[in-house]
Amino acid sequence: MSDMTPAWNNAVLDVIERRSSTRRFAPEPVSDVQREAVLHAATRAPSAGAMMMYSIIDIREQATRDRLAELCDHQPMIAQAPWALVFVVDYCKWIDLFEHVGCFDEAFVERTGKQPRRTPGLGEFAIAAQDAVIAAQNAVIAAEAVGLGSCYIGDIVENAEEVGELLGLPEHAVPLSMLILGVPAKERPATPHPVENIVMSERYRRADEATLDAQVAEMDAMFRPHAQEAGERVVDIYARKHTSDFMKEMGRSMERWLENW
């Protein structure tokens, strides 16, 4: 290595490069050491103002995972995974802290002129949501590093009423993402990811016809043999996801979660 070569940590880059979602898990249990490493990495994620505006619900009971498998669009792999983590956008803890130190007391109001504000807004939701997903991604990379596979479950936002009751979620707490984790049942090839029309220089740019054609061709090539005709992958996403019943339910539930916020 020359003196001009950057001292990069290529091991971290290699972990990111080879990572792919795991949907089948070996019967081998997750060790306490692995759990501790993953959870510690999650809490080392960047956080706005170091406020840690998220909570991680550590789910090990089979009955809870069984129920989540039903509520999250009927996905048996959730029940089959030995471990799940739910990342909750959580401002409830801050409302509790504000009250605990007297921010809502009359004396505080009189002294500071700050009126009691007991309900967070969408601004708080935005930064808390960022905190939560950054922590989740730290957990994903750490899991890969310690020999575990993982898969994001976005469907945790579905069936808001039942999920809220199951996890005991109070006001100002929204389960934004879930990870299922465990030892992979088999070696997994790295998942291909599109690169067209993702990075934009300096400002947002709507794609021109040539860029859209390149994007379609890239997706079709990646998803062969399923995509046999031009645009088939895009049509598949439209029919199977964009216009799906589960996406309608996700939309309904997100409205309900925001009412809870």
Side-chain angles (χ1 to χ4, degrees), residues 113-125:
K114 296 284 188 182
Q115 295 301 312
R117 181 168 178 246
R118 296 175 179 271
T119 303
L122 291 181
E124 285 91 349
F125 184 86

Side-chain angles (χ1 to χ4, degrees), residues 150-193:
S150 63
C151 185
Y152 274 105
I153 306 294
D155 301 277
I156 188 63
V157 304
E158 291 184 47
N159 295 303
E161 296 83 0
E162 292 90 343
V163 169
E165 181 178 358
L166 178 68
L167 301 181
L169 295 173
E171 287 186 322
H172 321 311
V174 177
L176 193 64
S177 192
M178 180 166 72
L179 292 175
I180 55 172
L181 306 100
V183 177
K186 62 179 182 179
E187 196 69 27
R188 302 149 295 147
T191 303
H193 284 72

Side-chain angles (χ1 to χ4, degrees), residues 39 54-60 64 68 83-90 156 163-164 166-170 173-179 181:
L39 291 171
Y54 61 89
S55 293
I56 305 171
I57 301 180
D58 179 349
I59 297 174
R60 308 186 190 190
T64 306
L68 287 170
W83 191 25
L85 297 174
V86 178
F87 290 80
V88 177
V89 180
D90 186 3
I156 188 63
V163 169
L166 178 68
L167 301 181
L169 295 173
V174 177
L176 193 64
S177 192
M178 180 166 72
L179 292 175
L181 306 100

Side-chain angles (χ1 to χ4, degrees), residues 40-253:
H40 177 73
T43 63
R44 292 293 299 156
S47 169
M51 290 175 65
M52 315 295 282
M53 291 173 283
Y54 61 89
S55 293
I56 305 171
I57 301 180
D58 179 349
I59 297 174
R60 308 186 190 190
E61 291 187 4
Q62 185 65 55
T64 306
R65 297 197 309 279
D66 288 345
R67 182 63 178 143
L68 287 170
E70 292 300 314
L71 293 174
C72 297
D73 200 38
H74 307 286
Q75 298 186 76
M77 65 181 178
I78 297 171
Q80 294 163 2
W83 191 25
L85 297 174
V86 178
F87 290 80
V88 177
V89 180
D90 186 3
Y91 214 79
C92 178
K93 61 175 64 176
W94 277 98
I95 298 298
D96 289 346
L97 282 168
F98 295 149
E99 184 168 23
H100 182 67
V101 302
C103 292
F104 303 143
D105 293 350
E106 289 184 11
F108 181 85
V109 173
E110 184 176 347
R111 184 174 74 252
T112 65
K114 296 284 188 182
Q115 295 301 312
R117 181 168 178 246
R118 296 175 179 271
T119 303
L122 291 181
E124 285 91 349
F125 184 86
I127 57 174
Q130 291 175 65
D131 270 15
V133 296
I134 295 168
Q137 186 60 16
N138 259 30
V140 164
I141 300 304
E144 196 77 19
V146 299
L148 299 176
S150 63
C151 185
Y152 274 105
I153 306 294
D155 301 277
I156 188 63
V157 304
E158 291 184 47
N159 295 303
E161 296 83 0
E162 292 90 343
V163 169
E165 181 178 358
L166 178 68
L167 301 181
L169 295 173
E171 287 186 322
H172 321 311
V174 177
L176 193 64
S177 192
M178 180 166 72
L179 292 175
I180 55 172
L181 306 100
V183 177
K186 62 179 182 179
E187 196 69 27
R188 302 149 295 147
T191 303
H193 284 72
V195 298
E196 293 285 349
N197 199 23
I198 294 176
V199 179
M200 302 176 185
S201 178
E202 304 296 343
R203 57 182 56 82
Y204 190 92
R205 288 178 172 82
R206 297 288 293 273
D208 57 19
E209 289 293 322
T211 301
L212 291 171
D213 286 344
Q215 197 174 352
V216 167
E218 178 186 51
M219 289 185 178
D220 286 347
M222 281 185 178
F223 292 97
R224 294 191 192 287
H226 303 295
Q228 300 292 334
E229 300 178 0
E232 194 167 339
R233 174 61 176 170
V234 178
V235 171
D236 173 65
I237 293 295
Y238 182 83
R240 188 166 53 88
K241 291 185 178 289
H242 184 66
T243 59
S244 65
D245 289 340
F246 79 79
M247 192 59 68
K248 292 177 185 175
E249 168 53 27
M250 290 180 77
R252 184 202 70 81
S253 278

